[in-house]
Amino acid sequence: QVQLVESGGGLVQPGGSLRLSCAASGSIFNIFGMGWFRRAPGKQRELVAVIRRDGGTSYLDTVRGRFTIARDNANPTVYLLMNSLKPEDTAVYYCYLLHGIVSWGPGMQVSVSS
């Protein structure tokens, strides 16, 4: 069984930064990708960023240039560095691990407000 543990969420002022972390443990054999989704109140879930097995990355248009996704293959852990945060980034952020099936983190709140 695979478990994902998230950390780093919280409240930050507009223009501030946060770093989200997601550490995976358990029976993980082949990692095809890791990434982050988010869901804001009253909105559909969005794929924020993904990092693939070959190291390639993709970003949601509205976060490209402000967010950076990275990974540590040894643990494995995926990070999301979020800079220049805006109120519209407020959402519950979920990490995921694609390893033949998809495993999900429990989600954590990120709030951007003055």
Side-chain angles (χ1 to χ4, degrees):
Q1 188 172 359
V2 174
Q3 183 178 23
L4 301 182
V5 177
E6 300 160 339
S7 61
L11 174 64
V12 64
Q13 291 187 340
S17 299
L18 283 175
R19 189 181 81 154
L20 307 184
S21 300
C22 174
S25 62
S27 300
I28 304 169
F29 299 104
N30 291 300
I31 298 175
F32 297 101
M34 301 181 76
W36 296 87
F37 277 86
R38 70 185 182 187
R39 186 188 296 274
K43 295 186 178 181
Q44 291 188 334
R45 186 179 65 178
E46 297 179 305
L47 176 58
V48 178
V50 59
I51 184 164
R52 294 177 287 274
R53 176 158 59 176
D54 64 0
T57 58
S58 298
Y59 296 92
L60 182 68
D61 285 346
T62 56
V63 308
R64 188 175 294 112
R66 299 188 296 121
F67 291 10
T68 302
I69 190 169
R71 70 184 179 197
D72 177 353
N73 289 329
N75 288 329
T77 302
V78 64
Y79 304 95
L80 186 67
L81 176 60
M82 306 186 294
N83 294 322
S84 303
L85 282 160
K86 303 176 181 181
E88 50 264 42
D89 295 316
T90 295
V92 177
Y93 284 70
Y94 302 86
C95 70
Y96 75 90
L97 170 67
L98 177 60
H99 56 113
I101 60 173
V102 180
S103 296
W104 293 94
M108 58 183 166
Q109 181 69 44
V110 170
S111 297
V112 185
S113 174
S114 55

